[in-house]
Amino acid sequence: MISTFTLHKDYTLFRKNYQLVLPLEIEYLVPPDDSVRLLDRFVDSMFLGDLYWTYCRKEKEGELTPRQMLKILVYAYMNGIYTSRKIEEACRRDINFMWLLEGKKAPDHTTIARFRTLHFAPCCGNVMAEVTEFLYRTGEISGETLFIDGTKIEACANKYTFVWKKTVDGNLKKLLGKLAAFVENCEELYGIRVVYRGQVKMKHVKKLRKKLYALKEEEGICFVHGAGHRKSLLQKSIETLEGYLSKLKEYTKKLYVCGERNSYSKTDPDATFMRMKEDAMGNGQLKAGYNLQHGVDSEYIVWLATGPQPNDIPTLLPFLDGLKEHLGRLFQYKKIVTDPGYESEENYSGLEKNGQEAYIKPSNYEISKKRKYKKDISRAENMEYDPQTDTYTCHSGKKLSVSGVKTETTKTGYKKETTVYTCGDCGGCPHKKECIRGNHSKKPLEERNKVLYVSKKFVEYRNASLERITSPEGCRLRINRSIQAEGSFGELKQDSGFRRFLCRGKENVKAEAVLLAFAHNVGKLHHKIQADRTGTHLFPLKKSA
């Protein structure tokens, strides 16, 4: 039997009676209540002037506008499509993406990737502010209470590309010792004097290098390499010095990239190694990642930040400063609700200066309810305090009076004062072993006296915050923080399946985070409209029977 099958690029030739089928209008195929229509209207109402300023020319005829590119990217993130190749494939196959294209040619993956990194990343903060402003003007955001939470998301970096600052510091010290010994040895071998007053500095090493090369030219020594050749002593010295200088340059560069961090990844130098909740091996392995912070109001992400900090304490005040810079002209939040991970005296003081109420759950809130905590006689919370005499009374009835004040300065310049209380004589106390903790002191237990370190300002802030969060309003805000702030990360990680950034560099990572927040907000607005929940800001407390 002879086959009539032919190989041809145009597959429509295989059909005998190929004809276009009407209707060709995609408008009729998109449902009227589809979220893509809401996204189209949402983006059309935005200014996006900063996005257009990233282009140095006008778009050509038939070319997608920056507004259309933004619609495609946001809608892709709404549907869990993150890679540029899959977005390109969706533009060719999905009817909703075709509707957004408005009859234009689908962009290729390189165009999508360039738009995300070169055009959207520089202005992503301003675009995020525009989204929040739109929601605020439509009445969807209250502008009164802000729920803040953070999570760690893995960076686009390999596992074993870590650089530890402590290790580099140790290697640098060893190298400097070798350099000093090498300079001294060269002075004896070649009769060169470069060091004065016994201190080897970088200028001495450079001077030695210059003199060794001058000596090579004077003696006419030719460097040799490979098997069967014997290197001269001068060649060995010069090669050793060049190796030391190369390593010195490498270590200096690594320390510069680290900055105030303790580590970074060679694949993505902006990423920091931190402990993730997703620990497949169960050994607490560190992974390169970013700390993503969300500020949520009325279930919408109003602001976000990405940083290298492994914990949340140093992120709160910079987060609020960024929010105030972009949205301070519209509103300022009066109530800040966070979890215990943000509690510190500096954060309490910063919120007070900004005129904001702190609804921060104390870090000892849950453990303080337990019987073991209440019976611990070594804690200042379980001792009687007399504000008139400024003394604590221990379990044995002995007084702890003020012996000094210790001042500490944080990395950000905040000065924290800690009052030191000391007992005059703990000799013969039957509760000494339970009261005085710590087995690493050089003094034996018999010679030691009880010492308390108390920050009065921090205790005052903590008690005020505890009173707020235990009030009926505070209970409602804490419940809403768990639902709204943690819920945003639940939708991001579990529902959308986003657990690893695809781009490298802090600017590109922030652009991805803004796209995710944009998609989350449009999706949340769509669900609220369809469920007739628009204008609601807080979930009510459910009363138990």
Side-chain angles (χ1 to χ4, degrees):
M1 182 177 178
I2 301 174
S3 175
T4 58
F5 187 85
T6 57
L7 301 178
H8 200 278
K9 292 181 179 181
D10 188 358
Y11 299 131
T12 60
L13 297 178
F14 299 146
R15 300 182 62 177
K16 295 181 180 179
N17 300 317
Y18 180 76
Q19 183 177 356
L20 292 176
V21 181
L22 297 176
L24 294 176
E25 183 59 53
I26 303 178
E27 181 72 29
Y28 298 106
L29 301 177
V30 180
D33 60 346
D34 199 295
S35 60
V36 70
R37 294 185 180 273
L38 175 64
L39 171 66
D40 181 66
R41 183 77 181 101
F42 195 110
V43 178
D44 283 341
S45 63
M46 297 173 65
F47 174 61
L48 298 180
D50 296 307
L51 180 61
Y52 277 86
W53 271 108
T54 60
Y55 287 83
C56 59
R57 61 173 179 82
K58 293 183 179 180
E59 63 271 4
K60 300 177 182 178
E61 186 178 354
E63 189 179 31
L64 289 174
T65 64
R67 194 178 297 272
Q68 288 176 312
M69 289 294 297
L70 180 60
K71 292 177 184 178
I72 290 169
L73 268 177
V74 174
Y75 190 67
Y77 276 71
M78 287 174 65
N79 290 275
I81 306 173
Y82 307 119
T83 64
S84 56
R85 293 181 185 274
K86 288 186 178 180
I87 295 174
E88 177 190 0
E89 183 180 349
C91 289
R92 300 181 187 279
R93 296 184 177 184
D94 196 294
I95 293 176
N96 288 2
F97 281 92
M98 294 178 186
W99 184 79
L100 288 175
L101 290 172
E102 300 177 3
K104 295 182 180 179
K105 185 180 178 181
D108 60 353
H109 61 274
T110 54
T111 304
I112 296 170
R114 282 198 301 266
F115 174 80
R116 182 165 51 189
T117 56
L118 298 180
H119 299 288
F120 183 74
C123 63
C124 61
N126 295 330
V127 173
M128 186 69 207
E130 276 196 64
V131 174
T132 304
E133 182 178 352
F134 176 84
L135 293 172
Y136 178 73
R137 295 191 185 280
T138 55
E140 285 298 304
I141 290 176
S142 66
E144 297 178 359
T145 306
L146 182 66
F147 306 101
I148 300 177
D149 200 7
T151 190
K152 298 180 183 70
I153 297 183
E154 191 176 348
C156 182
N158 298 338
K159 287 183 180 180
Y160 307 109
T161 57
F162 43 76
V163 175
W164 304 107
K165 187 177 183 180
K166 189 175 181 181
T167 304
V168 176
D169 276 331
N171 292 338
L172 182 60
K173 289 180 182 178
K174 292 179 183 178
L175 179 63
L176 292 176
K178 291 180 180 179
L179 262 175
F182 176 78
V183 171
E184 185 180 352
N185 187 29
C186 286
E187 285 183 334
E188 295 179 0
L189 283 175
Y190 306 108
I192 302 173
R193 181 71 185 276
V194 293
V195 180
Y196 299 93
R197 298 179 182 177
Q199 291 184 353
V200 179
K201 298 182 180 180
M202 197 61 205
K203 62 180 181 180
H204 299 145
V205 178
K206 292 181 179 179
K207 190 175 181 180
L208 174 64
R209 180 175 178 269
K210 188 176 180 180
K211 288 191 175 185
L212 288 178
Y213 275 103
L215 189 62
K216 170 182 174 281
E217 294 295 330
E218 289 178 5
E219 298 182 2
I221 298 176
C222 182
F223 284 2
V224 294
H225 302 278
H229 299 282
R230 185 178 295 276
K231 295 181 180 179
S232 63
L233 188 61
L234 183 60
Q235 181 181 352
K236 291 180 180 179
S237 299
I238 292 176
E239 289 180 354
T240 304
L241 180 60
E242 293 291 351
Y244 286 159
L245 291 176
S246 176
K247 278 293 179 183
L248 182 63
K249 185 178 180 180
E250 176 187 341
Y251 294 152
T252 306
K253 183 180 178 180
K254 287 180 177 179
L255 290 176
Y256 175 77
V257 173
C258 264
E260 296 181 356
R261 299 178 293 167
N262 62 351
S263 63
Y264 74 90
S265 171
K266 296 177 185 176
T267 316
D268 184 2
D270 291 333
T272 308
F273 279 83
M274 52 187 74
R275 201 174 302 279
M276 304 283 181
K277 288 183 179 178
E278 296 84 6
D279 188 10
M281 301 297 293
N283 56 359
Q285 185 180 15
L286 303 180
K287 292 182 180 178
Y290 291 90
N291 190 346
L292 175 61
Q293 298 288 317
H294 275 181
V296 183
D297 178 10
S298 307
E299 303 176 65
Y300 299 101
I301 302 172
V302 296
W303 191 247
L304 59 84
T306 55
Q309 302 88 349
N311 59 56
D312 295 331
I313 291 177
T315 64
L316 180 61
L317 296 180
F319 180 87
L320 295 175
D321 290 340
L323 176 63
K324 184 178 179 181
E325 180 184 351
H326 287 82
L327 297 167
R329 56 187 174 81
L330 288 176
F331 57 87
Q332 184 177 6
Y333 286 101
K334 298 298 181 183
K335 301 173 184 177
I336 307 298
V337 188
T338 69
D339 62 4
Y342 294 86
E343 189 189 27
S344 72
E345 183 182 323
E346 184 178 359
N347 288 341
Y348 278 131
S349 178
L351 291 176
E352 186 182 40
K353 290 179 181 178
N354 293 338
Q356 298 169 318
E357 291 184 352
Y359 286 81
I360 301 178
K361 187 178 179 180
S363 57
N364 65 342
Y365 180 75
E366 297 296 337
I367 196 175
S368 63
K369 300 177 183 178
K370 297 185 178 180
R371 186 185 306 169
K372 182 179 179 182
Y373 185 93
K374 294 178 180 179
K375 290 186 176 181
D376 190 353
I377 62 174
S378 66
R379 295 184 176 275
E381 295 88 342
N382 298 328
M383 296 183 185
E384 295 182 5
Y385 176 69
D386 186 0
Q388 295 181 353
T389 59
D390 195 11
T391 57
Y392 282 90
T393 304
C394 71
H395 188 71
S396 298
K398 296 185 178 182
K399 300 289 184 181
L400 282 80
S401 57
V402 178
S403 60
V405 178
K406 186 171 64 172
T407 304
E408 299 177 4
T409 304
T410 62
K411 292 182 179 179
T412 56
Y414 178 78
K415 292 185 178 180
K416 176 183 176 181
E417 289 188 354
T418 305
T419 307
V420 184
Y421 295 86
T422 308
C423 181
D425 183 18
C426 292
C429 180
H431 306 289
K432 192 171 185 177
K433 190 174 182 181
E434 293 81 14
C435 186
I436 300 178
R437 298 295 180 86
N439 301 320
H440 301 288
S441 177
K442 295 181 180 179
K443 285 185 179 181
L445 183 63
E446 293 77 12
E447 300 178 9
R448 293 165 63 188
N449 292 326
K450 178 65 178 177
V451 180
L452 283 180
Y453 297 92
V454 180
S455 174
K456 296 180 181 179
K457 200 172 183 181
F458 175 71
V459 172
E460 182 182 349
Y461 284 138
R462 171 177 276 186
N463 292 336
S465 180
L466 180 62
E467 186 178 351
R468 291 192 199 100
I469 68 168
T470 51
S471 64
E473 183 187 12
C475 292
R476 187 185 183 192
L477 293 180
R478 278 194 292 142
I479 291 295
N480 276 271
R481 190 205 67 82
S482 300
I483 296 172
Q484 298 190 29
E486 295 181 8
S488 68
F489 291 123
E491 293 182 13
L492 174 67
K493 287 185 169 182
Q494 189 64 31
D495 297 348
S496 301
F498 190 89
R499 295 180 178 271
R500 179 186 171 100
F501 287 111
L502 301 178
C503 298
R504 295 171 181 170
K506 55 186 179 182
E507 290 186 358
N508 296 333
V509 164
K510 186 178 179 181
E512 273 195 278
V514 169
L515 286 171
L516 289 165
F518 199 159
H520 169 87
N521 290 345
V522 175
K524 184 63 66 176
L525 180 61
H526 169 68
H527 291 306
K528 277 193 168 187
I529 292 173
Q530 298 301 320
D532 293 327
R533 289 182 52 244
T534 55
T536 58
H537 304 305
L538 294 175
F539 289 94
L541 276 176
K542 292 183 179 180
K543 296 182 179 180
S544 58

